[in-house]
Amino acid sequence: MKVEIKEDTIIALATPPGVGAISVIRLSGPNSISAIDNVFSGKIRIKDAKSHTIHYGNIVENDEIIDDVLVSVFRAPNSYTAEDSVEISTHGSPLIAQKIISLIINNGEVRLAEPGEFTKRAFLNNRIDLAQAEAVADLINSRTSVSLRGARNQLDGLLSLKVDLLRKKLVDVSSFIELELDFAEEDIEFVRRNDLTFKINEILVEIEGLLDSYSFGKVIRDGINIAIVGEPNVGKSSILNYLLKESRAIVSDIPGTTRDTIREEISIDGILFKLFDTAGMRISDEEVEKEGVKRSRETVKNTDLILFIGDINVGFSDQIGNELRELNQSVKILKVLNKTDLVANITFLEDFRISAKTGDGMTQLLEGLKKSAFSEGAYTEKDAIVTNIRHYNCLVKAKENLMRAVKTLSENLSGEFLASDFRAAEIALAEIIGEVTPEDILNNIFSKFCIGK
Ligand SMILES: Nc1nc2c(ncn2[C@@H]2O[C@H](COP(=O)(O)OP(=O)(O)O)[C@@H](O)[C@H]2O)c(=O)[nH]1
Ligand SMILES: [Mg+2]
C-alpha cells in the first residue's frame, strides 16, 4: 500500500557536513522554486528559469550577501524526486550551508528533510521501485568495485525486472484459478491440474535460482567475515599484519597480548574481506584476557570463514578445533600452518602452509580465500542477484506459498485454497519492489539513509 505523498517542500545539505570545495543544498517539493526566489538575487527569477538550467547569483539576507552560488533547476517530473527541485552549490563551508538552510526555512514553506526522504519521494512518485531505492543506499555504501557494480545493476532494475517477470507468470497462472472460482457452479476446469503443477514448478525453479544467488550476493554487498583463531603465539597477529601490509595489530611474543578482537578490511579482486584477529581461545584467570576470549567466541559464532592457525612446531590444538565446531557447526574452517620458515620435526594435516615472517605461501592463501568467497555457484555481478536479506526473505515466503500450492494441487483441494496460496506468493514478490510494502518497513528502509539523500 503506497502511502500518501506529502505535498510539502523539504531541504537538506546533500554533501557531507564539513569543509570542502563546494557544498550542495537540495530542495524538493512544490515550493522549491518560490522558496529559492525569496532569498536569491540573480539575473533572472528562478520561477522564470527553464528546467535543467543553472543560474549564478547571491543568497541575500537583510541586504547582506551570505554567499554567491549556482542554482540548478529541475522541474517536475524530470528530477530525482519527480517533484520540482532545486540544488544550490555554495562555497564549501558548513557555516554558509547552515545559514542558507535556516534562511530558506524561515522565509518559505519549507522544512528540514528526514533521512532518505528525497529517495523515498522518488519511490513514492514511481521514479524508482523499492529494490532500486535500496540500491541507492548500497551504491553509496559500496567499498569495492564488485559491490559497486552489483548495486549499480540493482539500481538499473536488473533484479526488479526479474521479480516483475516472475510476478507476471504467477498472475497468469492464478487468473485461471480465479476464473474457475467465478464459474464454480458449472464445475469447469480451465486448466489441467498437471499443467498447473508444471507451471508452478517452473516459477519455483526461478525463485530457487534467485535464492541460491544470495550466498554470492551477500558476499558482493557485505563482504566476507574471516576470523583468525588459534593458540596464543601461533602468529595470528603477524598474519593479519602481513595481509594488511601494515602494523595495526600488536605483535608480541608474550602469550595473550591481543586482548581485544581487531577488525581490519582488505579487498581482494573487488571482494571485501573483513578480518578479525581474535584474542585467542585460551581460558585465563586474568580478567582482561577473559573478556578477550569471550569476544573471540562471539566472533567465531558470527563469522563466514575461519582461519585456524597452527604453529609448525606444535600443530593445531585439538581443544580449539573442538571448540570451533561447537560454537559454529556450519562454518568453513581452513587449517593454516604458520612459521614454515622454521624447521619442523612433525607433519600435520593442513590446507595451507605459510610463513608470516617470509611471506611464503601467502599467495596461495589469498587464492584460497578468494575461492571460498566464490564457491557458491557461478554467478557474476552482471546476473540478477539477491544481495539483500529483505529480498531473500520475501522470496522464501513466495516459495513457501507456491510449495503449498503444489501440495494443495496434489491433494485435490478446492480452488479457494489454491487462490489464497497464489495471492500470498504474489504479495511476497510485490513486497520486493515495494508495491505492497507496509509503511513500517518503508520507514525502516529509508531511515537508514543519510539526510539529504
Ligand atoms: N619464525 C617465525 N616467527 C613468527 C612467524 N609468525 C609469527 N612469528 C613470531 O611469533 C610470535 C607470536 O606472533 P603473534 O603474531 O603475536 O602471535 P599471536 O599471539 O597468535 O597473535 C612473534 O614473536 C612473531 O614474530 C613466522 O612465520 N615465522
Ligand atoms: Mg595476537
Side-chain angles (χ1 to χ4, degrees):
M1 59 234 71
K2 287 216 167 175
V3 272
E4 273 304 301
I5 296 163
K6 292 185 200 141
E7 280 295 317
D8 52 2
T9 300
I10 52 174
I11 188 168
L13 181 65
T15 42
V19 175
I22 7 178
S23 293
V24 176
I25 298 164
R26 189 183 223 184
L27 281 121
S28 183
N31 301 329
S32 301
I33 287 167
S34 62
I36 184 81
D37 269 334
N38 285 341
V39 299
F40 178 76
S41 156
K43 268 196 188 144
I44 62 162
R45 309 266 294 154
I46 299 300
K47 76 173 166 51
D48 301 321
K50 280 195 194 139
S51 186
H52 295 74
T53 55
I54 301 176
H55 306 273
Y56 177 75
N58 294 321
I59 301 286
V60 183
E61 178 176 31
N62 303 327
D63 297 331
E64 193 190 319
I65 296 171
I66 298 182
D67 196 13
D68 55 325
V69 301
L70 288 173
V71 173
S72 313
V73 187
F74 308 93
R75 292 189 182 271
N78 299 315
S79 73
Y80 182 68
T81 54
E83 302 171 337
D84 277 350
S85 291
V86 169
E87 283 176 17
I88 313 164
S89 304
T90 73
H91 288 100
S93 138
L95 196 61
I96 291 175
Q98 200 184 20
K99 277 193 167 194
I100 295 178
I101 290 173
S102 307
L103 181 70
I104 291 177
I105 290 178
N106 293 335
N107 281 275
E109 305 259 298
V110 179
R111 68 168 169 82
L112 210 55
E114 289 159 21
E117 201 171 1
F118 292 91
T119 308
K120 188 178 186 180
R121 286 182 176 206
F123 161 67
L124 293 175
N125 292 327
N126 294 316
R127 272 263 296 118
I128 50 176
D129 66 36
L130 194 56
Q132 289 175 306
E134 288 169 304
V136 171
D138 290 349
L139 194 76
I140 298 172
N141 293 321
S142 291
R143 290 210 295 293
T144 70
S145 52
V146 173
S147 62
L148 187 62
R149 234 175 300 146
R152 183 70 248 170
N153 286 339
Q154 192 176 317
L155 182 53
D156 289 343
L158 217 65
L159 178 71
S160 305
L161 213 69
K162 174 100 188 183
V163 169
D164 206 44
L165 217 71
L166 282 175
R167 234 188 49 174
K168 288 209 178 95
K169 283 189 186 174
L170 251 182
V171 171
D172 274 353
V173 182
S174 69
S175 57
F176 284 116
I177 310 289
E178 303 277 352
L179 209 60
E180 280 184 19
L181 286 177
D182 289 345
F183 290 86
E185 260 99 89
E186 275 117 281
D187 204 18
I188 306 174
E189 211 175 73
F190 282 86
V191 57
R192 291 223 317 272
R193 285 321 188 224
N194 278 348
D195 292 347
L196 216 49
T197 308
F198 182 80
K199 285 199 162 112
I200 298 172
N201 278 328
E202 261 184 354
I203 299 172
L204 270 171
V205 166
E206 292 196 49
I207 290 181
E208 207 64 68
L210 280 175
L211 285 171
D212 282 347
S213 77
Y214 181 61
S215 54
F216 177 65
K218 189 173 166 293
V219 169
I220 285 189
R221 181 171 179 261
D222 303 327
I224 176 165
N225 293 318
I226 299 180
I228 306 175
V229 295
E231 292 220 278
N233 253 353
V234 294
K236 298 181 294 296
S237 302
S238 306
I239 293 167
L240 177 74
N241 285 351
Y242 187 91
L243 293 176
L244 290 173
K245 296 241 165 41
E246 60 169 84
S247 293
R248 163 81 165 77
I250 312 155
V251 181
S252 137
D253 51 9
I254 308 160
T257 312
T258 313
R259 290 176 168 169
D260 203 348
T261 298
I262 291 174
R263 176 182 185 276
E264 287 289 355
E265 294 180 348
I266 55 173
S267 156
I268 311 173
D269 289 355
I271 295 286
L272 192 68
F273 289 84
K274 300 174 190 165
L275 301 165
F276 295 83
D277 178 9
T278 61
M281 312 291 288
R282 199 183 56 152
I283 310 297
S284 156
D285 288 334
E286 205 198 319
E287 276 309 309
V288 191
E289 210 177 295
K290 251 190 208 161
E291 181 58 29
V293 170
K294 207 176 110 199
R295 286 189 197 178
S296 303
R297 291 185 174 162
E298 267 327 291
T299 305
V300 165
K301 273 186 201 164
N302 298 315
T303 195
D304 303 310
L305 180 70
I306 290 174
L307 292 188
F308 182 12
I309 314 295
D311 183 308
I312 195 155
N313 281 309
V314 191
F316 300 93
S317 149
D318 284 340
Q319 196 200 330
I320 292 182
N322 293 336
E323 207 173 332
L324 292 180
R325 267 294 158 241
E326 226 170 83
L327 288 167
N328 194 333
Q329 269 97 30
S330 59
V331 74
K332 186 168 178 182
I333 299 176
L334 295 179
K335 282 185 161 180
V336 180
L337 200 63
N338 186 34
K339 309 195 187 181
T340 52
D341 55 292
L342 303 177
V343 187
N345 320 315
I346 336 164
T347 49
F348 302 100
L349 267 184
E350 75 276 335
D351 299 303
F352 295 95
R353 296 169 65 83
I354 60 163
S355 164
K357 193 174 176 186
T358 63
D360 262 7
M362 285 294 190
T363 318
Q364 288 86 335
L365 178 63
L366 284 174
E367 275 304 313
L369 291 184
K370 230 165 57 187
K371 251 194 214 135
S372 52
F374 286 107
S375 62
E376 316 280 347
Y379 298 97
T380 79
E381 66 278 11
K382 291 182 201 78
D383 300 316
I385 285 168
V386 178
T387 62
N388 184 314
I389 182 82
R390 190 184 74 80
H391 304 166
Y392 181 83
N393 289 334
C394 289
L395 286 165
V396 168
K397 232 191 292 173
K399 177 184 155 180
E400 284 169 357
N401 281 293
L402 287 180
M403 304 234 309
R404 187 148 12 137
V406 172
K407 192 156 173 277
T408 304
L409 274 170
S410 70
E411 288 167 358
N412 251 324
L413 293 175
S414 118
E416 309 264 357
F417 290 109
L418 264 187
S420 117
D421 295 338
F422 274 116
R423 243 170 272 138
E426 270 171 55
I427 288 174
L429 289 182
E431 258 184 51
I432 296 177
I433 41 187
E435 296 212 344
V436 289
T437 311
E439 172 106 39
D440 55 333
I441 293 183
L442 288 185
N443 287 340
N444 182 36
I445 290 170
F446 288 105
S447 66
K448 291 189 185 120
F449 278 64
C450 40
I451 295 214
K453 189 67 223 178

